[in-house]
mmCIF file of all heavy atoms in Angstrom:
data_model
loop_
_atom_site.group_PDB
_atom_site.id
_atom_site.type_symbol
_atom_site.label_atom_id
_atom_site.label_comp_id
_atom_site.label_asym_id
_atom_site.label_seq_id
_atom_site.Cartn_x
_atom_site.Cartn_y
_atom_site.Cartn_z
ATOM 1 N N ALA B 337 -11.835 -15.489 -9.162
ATOM 2 C CA ALA B 337 -10.712 -14.768 -9.788
ATOM 3 C C ALA B 337 -9.471 -15.652 -9.851
ATOM 4 O O ALA B 337 -8.741 -15.649 -10.853
ATOM 5 C CB ALA B 337 -10.413 -13.486 -9.007
ATOM 6 N N THR B 338 -9.237 -16.403 -8.803
ATOM 7 C CA THR B 338 -8.086 -17.310 -8.782
ATOM 8 C C THR B 338 -8.201 -18.323 -9.918
ATOM 9 O O THR B 338 -7.235 -18.574 -10.654
ATOM 10 C CB THR B 338 -8.008 -18.041 -7.424
ATOM 11 O OG1 THR B 338 -7.969 -17.070 -6.384
ATOM 12 C CG2 THR B 338 -6.762 -18.916 -7.340
ATOM 13 N N GLU B 339 -9.402 -18.863 -10.063
ATOM 14 C CA GLU B 339 -9.636 -19.845 -11.122
ATOM 15 C C GLU B 339 -9.449 -19.210 -12.504
ATOM 16 O O GLU B 339 -8.743 -19.742 -13.363
ATOM 17 C CB GLU B 339 -11.069 -20.383 -10.956
ATOM 18 C CG GLU B 339 -11.469 -21.474 -11.932
ATOM 19 C CD GLU B 339 -12.988 -21.688 -11.893
ATOM 20 O OE1 GLU B 339 -13.554 -21.641 -10.774
ATOM 21 O OE2 GLU B 339 -13.585 -21.862 -12.967
ATOM 22 N N LYS B 340 -10.066 -18.041 -12.698
ATOM 23 C CA LYS B 340 -10.016 -17.379 -14.005
ATOM 24 C C LYS B 340 -8.584 -17.032 -14.417
ATOM 25 O O LYS B 340 -8.188 -17.237 -15.569
ATOM 26 C CB LYS B 340 -10.856 -16.095 -13.967
ATOM 27 C CG LYS B 340 -12.332 -16.348 -14.163
ATOM 28 C CD LYS B 340 -12.541 -16.842 -15.565
ATOM 29 C CE LYS B 340 -13.982 -16.924 -15.953
ATOM 30 N NZ LYS B 340 -14.173 -17.595 -17.251
ATOM 31 N N LEU B 341 -7.821 -16.465 -13.484
ATOM 32 C CA LEU B 341 -6.464 -16.043 -13.837
ATOM 33 C C LEU B 341 -5.527 -17.241 -13.971
ATOM 34 O O LEU B 341 -4.617 -17.232 -14.801
ATOM 35 C CB LEU B 341 -5.922 -15.047 -12.805
ATOM 36 C CG LEU B 341 -6.575 -13.667 -12.797
ATOM 37 C CD1 LEU B 341 -5.804 -12.717 -11.891
ATOM 38 C CD2 LEU B 341 -6.680 -13.064 -14.195
ATOM 39 N N SER B 342 -5.773 -18.281 -13.171
ATOM 40 C CA SER B 342 -4.915 -19.469 -13.254
ATOM 41 C C SER B 342 -5.047 -20.158 -14.607
ATOM 42 O O SER B 342 -4.121 -20.820 -15.070
ATOM 43 C CB SER B 342 -5.268 -20.461 -12.146
ATOM 44 O OG SER B 342 -5.127 -19.859 -10.889
ATOM 45 N N GLU B 343 -6.216 -20.006 -15.223
ATOM 46 C CA GLU B 343 -6.446 -20.644 -16.525
ATOM 47 C C GLU B 343 -5.598 -20.020 -17.636
ATOM 48 O O GLU B 343 -5.403 -20.619 -18.679
ATOM 49 C CB GLU B 343 -7.926 -20.491 -16.934
ATOM 50 C CG GLU B 343 -8.869 -21.459 -16.236
ATOM 51 C CD GLU B 343 -10.331 -21.082 -16.481
ATOM 52 O OE1 GLU B 343 -10.597 -20.120 -17.257
ATOM 53 O OE2 GLU B 343 -11.200 -21.732 -15.884
ATOM 54 N N ILE B 344 -5.143 -18.782 -17.415
ATOM 55 C CA ILE B 344 -4.426 -18.069 -18.478
ATOM 56 C C ILE B 344 -2.962 -18.487 -18.492
ATOM 57 O O ILE B 344 -2.266 -18.366 -17.470
ATOM 58 C CB ILE B 344 -4.544 -16.540 -18.280
ATOM 59 C CG1 ILE B 344 -6.021 -16.140 -18.240
ATOM 60 C CG2 ILE B 344 -3.802 -15.795 -19.373
ATOM 61 C CD1 ILE B 344 -6.245 -14.689 -17.854
ATOM 62 N N GLU B 345 -2.512 -18.929 -19.627
ATOM 63 C CA GLU B 345 -1.120 -19.368 -19.732
ATOM 64 C C GLU B 345 -0.187 -18.177 -19.546
ATOM 65 O O GLU B 345 -0.386 -17.121 -20.155
ATOM 66 C CB GLU B 345 -0.879 -20.009 -21.097
ATOM 67 C CG GLU B 345 0.342 -20.906 -21.115
ATOM 68 C CD GLU B 345 0.530 -21.576 -22.465
ATOM 69 O OE1 GLU B 345 -0.482 -21.833 -23.143
ATOM 70 O OE2 GLU B 345 1.681 -21.815 -22.833
ATOM 71 N N GLY B 346 0.846 -18.351 -18.726
ATOM 72 C CA GLY B 346 1.787 -17.263 -18.487
ATOM 73 C C GLY B 346 1.469 -16.466 -17.234
ATOM 74 O O GLY B 346 2.230 -15.578 -16.866
ATOM 75 N N VAL B 347 0.353 -16.767 -16.569
ATOM 76 C CA VAL B 347 0.005 -16.062 -15.331
ATOM 77 C C VAL B 347 0.357 -16.938 -14.137
ATOM 78 O O VAL B 347 0.059 -18.131 -14.132
ATOM 79 C CB VAL B 347 -1.501 -15.712 -15.286
ATOM 80 C CG1 VAL B 347 -1.884 -15.163 -13.910
ATOM 81 C CG2 VAL B 347 -1.835 -14.693 -16.364
ATOM 82 N N ARG B 348 1.005 -16.349 -13.161
ATOM 83 C CA ARG B 348 1.321 -17.086 -11.935
ATOM 84 C C ARG B 348 0.752 -16.325 -10.737
ATOM 85 O O ARG B 348 0.932 -15.107 -10.615
ATOM 86 C CB ARG B 348 2.839 -17.233 -11.780
ATOM 87 C CG ARG B 348 3.242 -17.961 -10.498
ATOM 88 C CD ARG B 348 4.648 -18.538 -10.620
ATOM 89 N NE ARG B 348 5.696 -17.530 -10.501
ATOM 90 C CZ ARG B 348 6.219 -17.142 -9.324
ATOM 91 N NH1 ARG B 348 5.767 -17.631 -8.192
ATOM 92 N NH2 ARG B 348 7.198 -16.247 -9.302
ATOM 93 N N ILE B 349 0.061 -17.057 -9.868
ATOM 94 C CA ILE B 349 -0.483 -16.459 -8.646
ATOM 95 C C ILE B 349 0.622 -16.467 -7.585
ATOM 96 O O ILE B 349 1.290 -17.471 -7.376
ATOM 97 C CB ILE B 349 -1.682 -17.284 -8.114
ATOM 98 C CG1 ILE B 349 -2.744 -17.498 -9.207
ATOM 99 C CG2 ILE B 349 -2.269 -16.648 -6.863
ATOM 100 C CD1 ILE B 349 -3.492 -16.280 -9.630
ATOM 101 N N PHE B 362 -0.597 -11.427 -8.639
ATOM 102 C CA PHE B 362 -0.196 -12.286 -9.750
ATOM 103 C C PHE B 362 0.889 -11.614 -10.570
ATOM 104 O O PHE B 362 1.075 -10.398 -10.494
ATOM 105 C CB PHE B 362 -1.399 -12.645 -10.639
ATOM 106 C CG PHE B 362 -2.076 -11.470 -11.293
ATOM 107 C CD1 PHE B 362 -1.745 -11.087 -12.588
ATOM 108 C CD2 PHE B 362 -3.047 -10.743 -10.621
ATOM 109 C CE1 PHE B 362 -2.377 -10.004 -13.211
ATOM 110 C CE2 PHE B 362 -3.674 -9.658 -11.219
ATOM 111 C CZ PHE B 362 -3.336 -9.295 -12.517
ATOM 112 N N ILE B 363 1.607 -12.429 -11.316
ATOM 113 C CA ILE B 363 2.562 -11.886 -12.277
ATOM 114 C C ILE B 363 2.330 -12.547 -13.628
ATOM 115 O O ILE B 363 1.883 -13.692 -13.700
ATOM 116 C CB ILE B 363 4.028 -12.070 -11.826
ATOM 117 C CG1 ILE B 363 4.318 -13.532 -11.504
ATOM 118 C CG2 ILE B 363 4.366 -11.215 -10.641
ATOM 119 C CD1 ILE B 363 5.778 -13.774 -11.236
ATOM 120 N N ILE B 364 2.605 -11.796 -14.668
ATOM 121 C CA ILE B 364 2.516 -12.317 -16.022
ATOM 122 C C ILE B 364 3.945 -12.479 -16.518
ATOM 123 O O ILE B 364 4.750 -11.538 -16.423
ATOM 124 C CB ILE B 364 1.741 -11.356 -16.944
ATOM 125 C CG1 ILE B 364 0.322 -11.115 -16.389
ATOM 126 C CG2 ILE B 364 1.671 -11.910 -18.372
ATOM 127 C CD1 ILE B 364 -0.484 -10.098 -17.181
ATOM 128 N N GLU B 365 4.228 -13.657 -16.993
ATOM 129 C CA GLU B 365 5.568 -13.990 -17.456
ATOM 130 C C GLU B 365 6.111 -12.921 -18.421
ATOM 131 O O GLU B 365 5.427 -12.561 -19.392
ATOM 132 C CB GLU B 365 5.489 -15.335 -18.197
ATOM 133 C CG GLU B 365 6.772 -16.115 -18.232
ATOM 134 C CD GLU B 365 6.539 -17.449 -18.933
ATOM 135 O OE1 GLU B 365 5.513 -18.105 -18.639
ATOM 136 O OE2 GLU B 365 7.355 -17.794 -19.785
ATOM 137 N N ILE B 416 -14.604 -9.546 -12.829
ATOM 138 C CA ILE B 416 -13.457 -10.461 -12.864
ATOM 139 C C ILE B 416 -13.261 -11.010 -14.277
ATOM 140 O O ILE B 416 -12.132 -11.175 -14.733
ATOM 141 C CB ILE B 416 -13.641 -11.572 -11.810
ATOM 142 C CG1 ILE B 416 -13.502 -10.955 -10.419
ATOM 143 C CG2 ILE B 416 -12.634 -12.688 -12.021
ATOM 144 C CD1 ILE B 416 -13.964 -11.828 -9.291
ATOM 145 N N ASP B 417 -14.369 -11.226 -14.988
ATOM 146 C CA ASP B 417 -14.250 -11.617 -16.397
ATOM 147 C C ASP B 417 -13.551 -10.522 -17.203
ATOM 148 O O ASP B 417 -12.709 -10.792 -18.060
ATOM 149 C CB ASP B 417 -15.642 -11.886 -16.994
ATOM 150 C CG ASP B 417 -16.287 -13.140 -16.403
ATOM 151 O OD1 ASP B 417 -15.544 -14.014 -15.910
ATOM 152 O OD2 ASP B 417 -17.532 -13.239 -16.434
ATOM 153 N N LEU B 419 -11.448 -8.369 -16.023
ATOM 154 C CA LEU B 419 -10.039 -8.439 -15.629
ATOM 155 C C LEU B 419 -9.315 -9.522 -16.418
ATOM 156 O O LEU B 419 -8.225 -9.292 -16.962
ATOM 157 C CB LEU B 419 -9.940 -8.722 -14.123
ATOM 158 C CG LEU B 419 -8.551 -9.073 -13.571
ATOM 159 C CD1 LEU B 419 -7.627 -7.852 -13.612
ATOM 160 C CD2 LEU B 419 -8.639 -9.601 -12.133
ATOM 161 N N ALA B 420 -9.934 -10.687 -16.495
ATOM 162 C CA ALA B 420 -9.274 -11.811 -17.176
ATOM 163 C C ALA B 420 -9.049 -11.502 -18.657
ATOM 164 O O ALA B 420 -7.975 -11.783 -19.196
ATOM 165 C CB ALA B 420 -10.108 -13.079 -17.000
ATOM 166 N N SER B 421 -10.039 -10.893 -19.318
ATOM 167 C CA SER B 421 -9.803 -10.612 -20.742
ATOM 168 C C SER B 421 -8.788 -9.497 -20.929
ATOM 169 O O SER B 421 -8.035 -9.495 -21.900
ATOM 170 C CB SER B 421 -11.107 -10.330 -21.509
ATOM 171 O OG SER B 421 -12.019 -9.659 -20.726
ATOM 172 N N ALA B 422 -8.735 -8.546 -19.976
ATOM 173 C CA ALA B 422 -7.710 -7.498 -20.069
ATOM 174 C C ALA B 422 -6.310 -8.095 -19.867
ATOM 175 O O ALA B 422 -5.353 -7.654 -20.503
ATOM 176 C CB ALA B 422 -7.976 -6.403 -19.043
ATOM 177 N N VAL B 423 -6.211 -9.077 -18.996
ATOM 178 C CA VAL B 423 -4.913 -9.738 -18.794
ATOM 179 C C VAL B 423 -4.491 -10.445 -20.090
ATOM 180 O O VAL B 423 -3.321 -10.412 -20.476
ATOM 181 C CB VAL B 423 -4.982 -10.721 -17.597
ATOM 182 C CG1 VAL B 423 -3.780 -11.648 -17.580
ATOM 183 C CG2 VAL B 423 -5.070 -9.952 -16.283
ATOM 184 N N GLN B 424 -5.472 -11.046 -20.766
ATOM 185 C CA GLN B 424 -5.190 -11.648 -22.079
ATOM 186 C C GLN B 424 -4.646 -10.593 -23.037
ATOM 187 O O GLN B 424 -3.707 -10.838 -23.793
ATOM 188 C CB GLN B 424 -6.476 -12.243 -22.686
ATOM 189 C CG GLN B 424 -6.985 -13.467 -21.957
ATOM 190 C CD GLN B 424 -6.283 -14.744 -22.387
ATOM 191 O OE1 GLN B 424 -5.218 -14.693 -23.002
ATOM 192 N NE2 GLN B 424 -6.854 -15.883 -22.037
ATOM 193 N N LYS B 425 -5.261 -9.427 -22.993
ATOM 194 C CA LYS B 425 -4.843 -8.337 -23.877
ATOM 195 C C LYS B 425 -3.395 -7.928 -23.595
ATOM 196 O O LYS B 425 -2.614 -7.676 -24.516
ATOM 197 C CB LYS B 425 -5.790 -7.149 -23.683
ATOM 198 C CG LYS B 425 -5.671 -6.086 -24.736
ATOM 199 C CD LYS B 425 -6.799 -5.076 -24.634
ATOM 200 C CE LYS B 425 -7.836 -5.223 -25.717
ATOM 201 N NZ LYS B 425 -9.026 -4.393 -25.511
ATOM 202 N N ILE B 427 -1.068 -9.810 -22.489
ATOM 203 C CA ILE B 427 -0.195 -10.851 -23.042
ATOM 204 C C ILE B 427 -0.063 -10.678 -24.559
ATOM 205 O O ILE B 427 1.023 -10.827 -25.120
ATOM 206 C CB ILE B 427 -0.736 -12.244 -22.659
ATOM 207 C CG1 ILE B 427 -0.600 -12.428 -21.140
ATOM 208 C CG2 ILE B 427 -0.013 -13.347 -23.411
ATOM 209 C CD1 ILE B 427 -1.284 -13.642 -20.579
#
Side-chain angles (χ1 to χ4, degrees):
Chain B
T338 304
E339 183 193 320
K340 278 293 189 188
L341 290 189
S342 302
E343 282 169 4
I344 303 172
E345 200 178 329
V347 172
R348 178 159 76 87
I349 307 291
F362 61 95
I363 54 173
I364 302 176
E365 205 177 316
I416 290 166
D417 291 337
L419 170 69
S421 35
V423 166
Q424 291 277 16
K425 193 169 254 171
I427 293 171

